[in-house]
Amino acid sequence: MPCERKPMRYGHSEGHTEVCFDDTGRYIVTCGNDGDVRIWESLEDDDPKFITVGEKAYSLALKKGKLVTASSNNTVQIHTFPDGDPDGILTRFTTNATHVTFNSSGSRVAAGSSDFMVKVVEVSDSSQQKTLRGHEAPVLSVSFDPTDEFLASASCDGSVIVWNIEEQTPAISWPLLQKTSDVSNAKSLCRLAFQPAAGKLLAVPVETRVHLYERRSWEHVGTLSDELLTQPINVVAWSPCGRFLAAGSVGGSLAVWDASSKLCLERQKHEKGFTVCSLAWHPSGSQIAYTDTEGCLGLLDGLGASTAAGTGSTKAPAAKPAKDYDDLFDEDDGGLMDEGLADGNSAKEAAAGEDEDEDDFLIPSTGRVRNRGAILDDDVSLDGGSLKLGRDDDDDDAGSSVAPAAAPPAPLRPVYDGPEPTPPQKAFQPGSTPAHLTHRFMVWNSVGIVRGYNDEQDNAVDVEFHDTAVHHAMHLTNSLGHTMADLSQEAVLLACAGTDELASKLQCLHFSSWDTNKDWMVDLPPGEDAKALCLGQGWAAVATSSLLLRLFSVGGVQREVFSVPGPVVCMAGHGEQLLVVYHRATGFGGDQALGVQLLQLGGRKRQLITGEALPLSPRSYLSWLGFTAEGTPCYVDSDGLVRMLNRSLGNTWTPVCNTRETCKSKSDHYWVVGVHENPQQLRCIPCKGSRYPPTLPRPAVAILPFKLPLCQTSTEKGQMEEQYWRSVLFHSHHGFLSSCGYEIDEAARAQSEKEQQELLMKMFALSCKLEREFRCVELAELMPQNVVALAIRYASRSRRMNLAQRLGEIALEKSSQLQEDEAWVPEEEAGVPSARRASGYGRTEPAGDPRRSREEEEGEEEDGGELESEETTDTAKRSNPFAKEGGSSPVNLMPIGKAGRSNPFKVAAPGKPAPASGHPRVTNILDSMTSSRKSAPLGGSAATAGKGPVLKPLAPRAKTKAQSTLLQISSNKTANKKTPEATEPAAELQQQPDAAAPPPPPPPAENGENKRPKTGFQLWLEENRKTIMADNPELDETDVIKEAMGRFRTLSAEERRTWTERAKGQTGDAADVRKRKRADGGGAEDETAESDSESSSKKKKALDASSKLSAFAFNKN
């Protein structure tokens, strides 16, 4: 049977790592590039004892309670084991030692160094030393002869020398290796080894093979190789019995041979393909521990059974008739390998006899394929008898009477060189430590801590709350053996796996209940075990082994049950959101193939993320899953990369922090316990030399900052770009919370918008200094309208007239865009997402659009009433889409007195009578800036929430007094434009809440009620309603409008603009209103009356822009 390869774990920081067992096999001892020696009780030990021996530890050896290490301070030290107390320095070199080893009795230590010398030191008396000189380059490895007569060493000079220890002279030397200048440049460490016990053979790794030399005669008696070993072998190690030889290669391949038959009994591959740099056999011969150059520790288990199956049956080879697949190849072996492979054939027959089912699969772990991997040279087959170690030559002569034949064809060798399947990650609870620990964290989250104790004295669960106002601490007996837990502001949820006698149970302690019976328990169906669980606001969820996810109310009522596409890895809950991660497929090459679902379980149950792939770092796994305190999903992988959901970019995952960047050593990790968006904090616990913290003493929580992985963040430009996009990402949760009906902090929202605007202006100024005018225009596309005005000021005063002109065009585009968005407001209220540019940042916001979020919130309050009345009643009586109250009121259609392009469809705010204006119209943005320059400062504090008729589309233009008076252009927030002298009354009017606004005066109300024009969409709907009804006869009026919206959005921008212009052409009444108001305004209005037509308006604006720009740029103020 094949051995089992255990999953690897981090042991040390990146670099050369070595491993050995103690004499009893109880401990695994490793050293690494971080200068620590770690003592592991098992591969799963998450809190190993460690001894710091220097800045770096290059090699170690352990025998009879003495631990010897070669460290970076050019010494070979000795410590007691397992206490780790220093016991002196054995010897020193002029540079660092590269390899140390004990002799079989533990009385001597041999050490090789980079100063070309090898020393043999008595452990009891370090003054008794023997120095072996003869190498001409750094020494790679050393190995004692079991009789202490000889010592073998390999060097970067390409030679392998066998020394006579007493005479301190070379007995023989072989030029076997490639020459290099240093150990770090060597293709192989060439960790050679003498056979233990009898010590008849010396194994030397040479390229992709292992050469065997006979002791004393030093003749080359054999070669061990394998077809899968395609890269140089780095290290070899003999089993304690001396029968088997293990080898690890640069490419991560592991192989075990039977030295007598030269058959490859076992093949394994490093799970990530890293170089194997150390091997150690367990004293029982059943395990091999190995380490790689990345500091990881691995284990091959079950070798005793597989190697015994490969060799133990040679004493009775003819017991099973030759009827299996091996016999197909025995005839081919007859003349070529009558001695070298005969025993191996019968050995595999016996192995097949133990498990006949395995013969049906031609895989490398069963019988013949492993045998065919042994490639023997001609001299090996001739000398094969000398390697049988006392076995009879006539054990199996079945193949000796057959004439030699050609090798079997290649298709009969099922060799797979592609990436290997990755073992699927087991289910876990976020914020928990491994279940095998006696004292562990069952969960640590933003609410509190649940600890589990399972030792001889107690089996209990302790619950502790960060805020004792939530609930006092609790001590619960754990008689059922719960292994999973979650904690919320309402309840504690526990679960245990089932047994043969008992079903898996789910227990909930609802401590926030006003009822006296606060706990309930549910038995899962037989054969169904709980794998993961989580709590939300008023609900609990448990994922089971039957690929089901069961929902319960927090009081114990069973709710929905649905299937999960794959085995669940973990879950997290927050409010009404449920996040599920599961295996969507089998991963390859060390990668996990995980999928994610995000569900909303509130009033409108829906699936926000539908089984998309969860991005992970290469060759990593999921280590934490949860939500920020504000409700944004995020997770951490084993490489320390923190990713957060970006709702404004199509529910993509953005990396926001790399905890590995702050770790001093690769063996150090951060254990995440919470994430906050405001303030931006990653709360985690630093773990030195481990992935998990101990329960006692209570770990201290550290706070890490966030940083987006943008390029060149060391430059001023890169820093500002990172700060801007991080601010956009971390404040996008405002829109989501608003759409879900939660109250949001308007002050924090306004502050974030102000911060983003300042960063955009700083980047704009920097680009101007660098004369990157095109980049300036790109930045202006991200700016809200009021900030574009400041950019125009800056560009003009910097004498960049071409740039200022282009920025003026952008400002007019944003004004036009705002007008279009106003006409689309009823559609947005209907709940259909818009794919148009929805904010001043120039990006689409499918899920987190602040405009859409606020409109959805208001639309839910009105429950769609406006949508139906929109089409079934006269269009002139539509309610104000921006009103805070659900009731409708007449709207006012007023002409614009000071706007570049008047908007006849603009809705006046309720209770805002339009003052008559007698001033001339302004046809360019620069005019409005000039007229308002003296009436408002450039910066202002944010006004309180809900004041003034706020248009939704431009979130950064929120509610500031300064913004309302700084840029009095056609897209101003108010429906009526004020003169500079009227800015104070305008500001006061803006601060009046919509809900409390008085009804407009009667004359404007009549105009708005009788003369309201149609929008382009309404005109399009009238002409296409019959087509839509014919295609979908079952739709009611509301669904028809929604379908029409979807079709209208598929039109190009040019077609939509055409419909808008057609709608404008049908507004004769509105034109009459404008003419009357202009007549009241005086002769100044008559000068620009012709600009009402679209073509003449554009021409006049272009002329006015250049003339006004010159006057503005060279103004003495």
Side-chain angles (χ1 to χ4, degrees):
M1 59 178 291
C3 67
E4 178 186 3
R5 188 190 70 192
K6 301 285 188 182
M8 299 199 71
R9 61 163 303 147
Y10 277 106
H12 297 272
S13 60
E14 182 178 358
H16 178 76
T17 313
E18 286 204 6
V19 63
C20 68
F21 284 93
D22 72 321
D23 295 335
T24 64
R26 178 182 176 186
Y27 298 105
I28 304 174
V29 186
T30 60
C31 73
N33 222 24
D34 51 13
D36 288 343
V37 173
R38 302 193 189 279
I39 303 172
W40 314 78
E41 293 188 1
S42 67
L43 190 65
E44 293 79 24
D45 186 3
D46 290 306
D47 190 17
K49 180 179 179 181
F50 68 94
I51 308 166
T52 302
V53 297
E55 291 186 4
K56 293 184 179 181
Y58 295 104
S59 181
L60 85 165
L62 178 61
K63 183 80 74 170
K64 295 186 176 180
K66 297 293 184 181
L67 176 65
V68 173
T69 56
S71 60
S72 56
N73 57 5
N74 305 342
T75 62
V76 176
Q77 307 174 43
I78 188 167
H79 291 76
T80 61
F81 184 88
D83 299 327
D85 299 325
D87 200 15
I89 295 176
L90 279 180
T91 187
R92 296 178 184 272
F93 294 92
T94 57
T95 183
N96 60 280
T98 56
H99 190 211
V100 294
T101 185
F102 272 102
N103 64 355
S104 57
S105 63
S107 60
R108 285 178 171 182
V109 171
S113 171
S114 293
D115 62 5
F116 311 168
M117 290 192 298
V118 177
K119 291 185 178 182
V120 179
V121 187
E122 295 290 336
V123 175
S124 58
D125 185 4
S126 61
S127 62
Q128 298 184 26
Q129 298 186 9
K130 290 181 172 61
T131 303
L132 309 177
R133 292 181 174 88
H135 284 298
E136 299 175 354
V139 178
L140 291 170
S141 64
V142 291
S143 178
F144 270 106
D145 168 29
T147 64
D148 267 13
E149 183 179 356
F150 300 104
L151 177 76
S153 63
S155 171
C156 291
D157 60 9
S159 67
V160 174
I161 299 178
V162 179
W163 306 85
N164 188 309
I165 297 177
E166 295 303 322
E167 297 177 4
Q168 302 181 35
T169 57
I172 192 170
S173 177
W174 300 290
L176 300 174
L177 312 177
Q178 183 176 343
K179 293 184 179 182
T180 56
S181 59
D182 189 47
V183 176
S184 59
N185 300 326
K187 291 179 62 177
S188 167
L189 293 178
C190 192
R191 290 294 162 87
L192 42 74
F194 270 98
Q195 187 180 24
K200 293 183 178 180
L201 298 174
L202 170 64
V204 182
V206 180
E207 295 295 334
T208 60
R209 301 186 175 193
V210 179
H211 289 190
L212 299 178
Y213 296 89
E214 189 177 40
R215 186 172 173 273
R216 290 200 177 275
S217 68
W218 307 120
E219 293 179 358
H220 182 202
V221 295
T223 301
L224 303 178
S225 63
D226 188 84
E227 287 179 340
L228 295 184
L229 291 174
T230 58
Q231 297 194 53
I233 296 176
N234 218 26
V235 55
V236 297
W238 290 92
S239 64
C241 64
R243 179 181 297 177
F244 309 109
L245 182 71
S249 74
V250 171
S253 297
L254 295 163
V256 179
W257 290 278
D258 184 343
S260 58
S261 64
K262 303 182 182 62
L263 301 179
C264 186
L265 306 176
E266 194 62 55
R267 291 188 191 90
Q268 289 289 342
K269 181 78 173 176
H270 188 291
E271 64 186 29
K272 295 186 178 180
F274 295 149
T275 296
V276 177
C277 55
S278 182
L279 291 173
W281 284 80
H282 190 275
S284 66
S286 61
Q287 294 178 335
I288 293 179
Y290 61 100
T291 55
D292 60 26
T293 52
E294 295 294 314
C296 294
L297 171 65
L299 193 68
L300 299 182
D301 198 4
L303 285 165
S306 61
T307 52
T311 60
S313 61
T314 56
K315 297 180 181 179
K320 181 177 180 292
K323 293 182 181 179
D324 55 6
Y325 283 115
D326 287 343
D327 298 328
L328 298 176
F329 303 98
D330 286 344
E331 295 177 358
D332 302 335
D333 298 338
L336 292 177
M337 304 179 231
D338 54 341
E339 293 184 353
L341 288 182
D343 291 343
N345 298 337
S346 57
K348 288 304 173 182
E349 292 172 12
E354 293 176 8
D355 190 357
E356 294 183 1
D357 293 338
E358 291 184 359
D359 288 345
D360 297 334
F361 303 92
L362 290 177
I363 59 177
S365 61
T366 58
R368 191 60 206 174
V369 179
R370 294 203 182 279
N371 300 355
R372 300 303 298 176
I375 302 175
L376 305 184
D377 296 337
D378 292 339
D379 55 344
V380 177
S381 61
L382 294 176
D383 297 335
S386 63
L387 299 179
K388 299 176 80 67
L389 301 180
R391 295 180 183 172
D392 296 333
D393 292 340
D394 56 353
D395 282 348
D396 185 6
D397 55 358
S400 60
S401 60
V402 183
L412 296 177
R413 300 172 180 237
V415 176
Y416 174 66
D417 293 330
E420 294 185 2
T422 305
Q425 180 180 357
K426 295 181 180 179
F428 71 98
Q429 283 296 114
S432 67
T433 52
H436 69 271
L437 302 177
T438 56
H439 292 189
R440 58 182 289 256
F441 292 111
M442 300 180 74
V443 66
W444 184 322
N445 58 21
S446 59
V447 178
I449 306 170
V450 179
R451 294 182 179 87
Y453 303 94
N454 185 13
D455 50 25
E456 298 177 356
Q457 288 80 20
D458 196 8
N459 188 359
V461 173
D462 284 347
V463 183
E464 174 187 340
F465 295 88
H466 299 314
D467 183 4
T468 54
V470 176
H471 198 271
H472 59 78
M474 295 182 287
H475 180 82
L476 312 173
T477 58
N478 191 10
S479 57
L480 295 175
H482 292 302
T483 57
M484 291 168 277
D486 198 15
L487 180 64
S488 72
Q489 300 276 358
E490 299 175 311
V492 181
L493 189 64
L494 302 167
C496 62
T499 62
D500 295 338
E501 297 82 13
L502 299 176
S504 179
K505 296 181 183 296
L506 184 70
Q507 182 178 1
C508 181
L509 178 60
H510 186 198
F511 54 77
S512 65
S513 171
W514 47 265
D515 193 2
T516 55
N517 296 323
K518 296 182 180 296
D519 59 339
W520 52 270
M521 186 180 300
V522 170
D523 287 356
L524 296 180
E528 188 172 334
D529 284 346
K531 293 296 183 181
L533 50 83
C534 66
L535 283 166
Q537 185 176 357
W539 56 267
V542 56
T544 69
S545 57
S546 299
L547 303 186
L548 293 178
L549 198 149
R550 300 177 178 273
L551 293 176
F552 299 84
S553 72
V554 75
V557 178
Q558 297 191 59
R559 290 177 50 182
E560 296 87 350
V561 179
F562 61 92
S563 293
V564 186
V568 170
V569 177
C570 63
M571 299 193 303
H574 183 278
E576 298 174 347
Q577 300 180 84
L578 171 61
L579 189 63
V580 185
V581 174
Y582 57 89
H583 289 287
R584 61 198 296 263
T586 300
F588 285 86
D591 295 330
Q592 299 285 335
L594 303 181
V596 58
Q597 288 184 341
L598 178 61
L599 298 94
Q600 187 165 339
L601 305 177
R604 290 190 303 170
K605 296 182 175 64
R606 52 180 176 159
Q607 195 167 354
L608 303 179
I609 300 179
T610 57
E612 299 174 5
L614 187 72
L616 293 174
S617 302
R619 296 177 177 177
S620 67
Y621 55 88
L622 186 66
S623 61
W624 184 84
L625 180 77
F627 289 84
T628 66
E630 291 76 14
T632 303
C634 54
Y635 66 95
V636 186
D637 61 29
S638 58
D639 283 355
L641 203 60
V642 183
R643 294 178 178 85
M644 194 165 72
L645 185 69
N646 190 347
R647 301 184 193 271
S648 63
L649 197 61
N651 286 339
T652 53
W653 298 94
T654 301
V656 295
C657 180
N658 188 355
T659 61
R660 301 295 306 163
E661 293 179 353
T662 56
C663 292
K664 296 181 180 178
S665 169
K666 193 162 186 177
S667 59
D668 297 344
H669 296 86
Y670 283 97
W671 195 62
V672 176
V673 296
V675 183
H676 294 262
E677 294 181 73
N678 188 21
Q680 298 178 16
Q681 292 180 348
L682 177 65
R683 303 175 64 83
C684 48
I685 297 172
C687 306
K688 181 173 176 58
S690 176
R691 285 191 173 272
Y692 308 103
T695 54
L696 293 174
R698 182 190 175 110
V701 177
I703 295 176
L704 296 183
F706 291 102
K707 182 179 180 182
L708 300 185
L710 267 61
C711 302
Q712 296 181 332
T713 52
S714 58
T715 64
E716 184 181 6
K717 170 180 172 289
Q719 290 175 1
M720 288 190 290
E721 289 170 340
E722 191 274 335
Q723 292 174 18
Y724 171 75
W725 289 112
R726 176 157 46 88
S727 177
V728 170
L729 173 64
F730 277 81
H731 292 94
S732 62
H733 66 274
H734 290 301
F736 176 76
L737 294 177
S738 177
S739 68
C740 293
Y742 294 100
E743 294 183 1
I744 57 176
D745 187 353
E746 290 292 346
R749 185 177 197 162
Q751 180 62 30
S752 68
E753 292 171 356
K754 180 181 178 182
E755 174 189 348
Q756 292 164 19
Q757 294 170 12
E758 290 176 353
L759 287 168
L760 285 172
M761 275 307 301
K762 288 180 181 179
M763 287 190 284
F764 180 87
L766 180 62
S767 298
C768 282
K769 291 179 182 178
L770 298 175
E771 298 184 355
R772 297 279 187 177
E773 294 192 0
F774 189 87
R775 185 181 296 168
C776 293
V777 174
E778 291 177 324
L779 290 170
E781 292 285 353
L782 301 175
M783 296 177 180
Q785 197 167 351
N786 62 302
V787 183
V788 176
L790 297 179
I792 295 174
R793 285 174 180 268
Y794 187 92
S796 301
R797 291 177 177 176
S798 301
R799 302 295 190 266
R800 302 185 183 277
M801 309 312 300
N802 184 31
L803 174 61
Q805 178 64 44
R806 292 184 181 275
L807 296 179
E809 296 174 1
I810 291 176
L812 292 176
E813 287 179 10
K814 290 182 177 292
S815 171
S816 175
Q817 181 69 40
L818 181 58
Q819 293 173 11
E820 290 184 18
D821 288 338
E822 290 178 37
W824 279 72
V825 166
E827 304 168 23
E828 299 297 335
E829 275 192 310
V832 181
S834 172
R836 301 153 66 85
R837 180 182 301 168
S839 72
Y841 302 121
R843 65 183 189 278
T844 58
E845 302 193 13
D849 187 356
R851 173 195 62 183
R852 179 169 177 260
S853 302
R854 291 191 294 271
E855 290 170 355
E856 283 182 357
E857 179 182 2
E858 295 166 4
E860 289 175 10
E861 294 174 1
E862 296 169 347
D863 201 22
E866 291 179 14
L867 180 64
E868 297 178 3
S869 63
E870 195 174 56
E871 295 297 331
T872 57
T873 63
D874 187 29
T875 56
K877 296 183 179 181
R878 289 189 304 177
S879 61
N880 179 12
F882 307 118
K884 295 291 184 182
E885 298 291 330
S888 61
S889 60
V891 293
N892 184 15
L893 180 66
M894 293 297 293
I896 307 301
K898 293 184 63 180
R901 181 185 298 171
S902 60
N903 179 11
F905 311 115
K906 189 152 189 177
V907 182
K912 295 286 183 76
S917 174
H919 294 274
R921 293 172 56 200
V922 180
T923 59
N924 189 273
I925 184 172
L926 299 176
D927 295 345
S928 63
M929 287 167 25
T930 305
S931 63
S932 63
R933 193 185 320 168
K934 298 179 182 179
S935 62
L938 294 182
S941 59
T944 56
K947 295 190 176 182
V950 182
L951 293 181
K952 307 305 179 192
L954 288 180
R957 304 185 65 242
K959 307 169 185 65
T960 65
K961 300 176 185 176
Q963 292 172 8
S964 64
T965 57
L966 173 66
L967 190 58
Q968 303 287 349
I969 62 174
S970 59
S971 61
N972 197 294
K973 295 271 184 178
T974 58
N976 310 298
K977 301 303 177 232
K978 288 83 178 176
T979 62
E981 294 79 6
T983 52
E984 282 190 10
E988 293 174 1
L989 285 174
Q990 279 192 341
Q991 295 181 17
Q992 297 177 6
D994 290 339
E1006 289 179 8
N1007 291 339
E1009 207 166 297
N1010 299 321
K1011 311 281 185 170
R1012 176 145 191 173
K1014 295 181 180 179
T1015 65
F1017 167 70
Q1018 292 171 330
L1019 194 63
W1020 181 88
L1021 179 60
E1022 288 180 0
E1023 295 191 11
N1024 293 272
R1025 179 185 294 274
K1026 292 183 179 180
T1027 304
I1028 296 174
M1029 293 297 292
D1031 294 342
N1032 304 278
E1034 74 282 356
L1035 297 182
D1036 57 15
E1037 185 64 24
T1038 302
D1039 293 334
V1040 168
I1041 295 174
K1042 289 184 179 180
E1043 176 69 18
M1045 290 176 187
R1047 295 191 183 188
F1048 189 71
R1049 285 198 181 93
T1050 60
L1051 301 178
S1052 65
E1054 198 63 36
E1055 291 174 323
R1056 293 200 299 268
R1057 192 176 297 110
T1058 301
W1059 282 102
T1060 303
E1061 295 301 328
R1062 287 180 58 182
K1064 289 181 180 179
Q1066 299 181 9
T1067 57
D1069 294 339
D1072 294 341
V1073 174
R1074 288 200 302 274
K1075 289 178 182 178
R1076 287 198 299 271
K1077 291 299 179 181
R1078 291 194 188 107
D1080 294 341
E1085 281 289 343
D1086 297 336
E1087 294 179 5
T1088 57
E1090 295 178 357
S1091 64
D1092 287 337
S1093 66
E1094 185 66 16
S1095 59
S1096 62
S1097 173
K1098 290 183 179 178
K1099 292 178 182 178
K1100 186 166 183 61
K1101 281 168 187 163
L1103 294 173
D1104 288 347
S1106 58
S1107 59
K1108 294 295 182 180
L1109 183 61
S1110 301
F1112 174 77
F1114 299 102
N1115 191 300
K1116 63 182 180 180
N1117 294 329

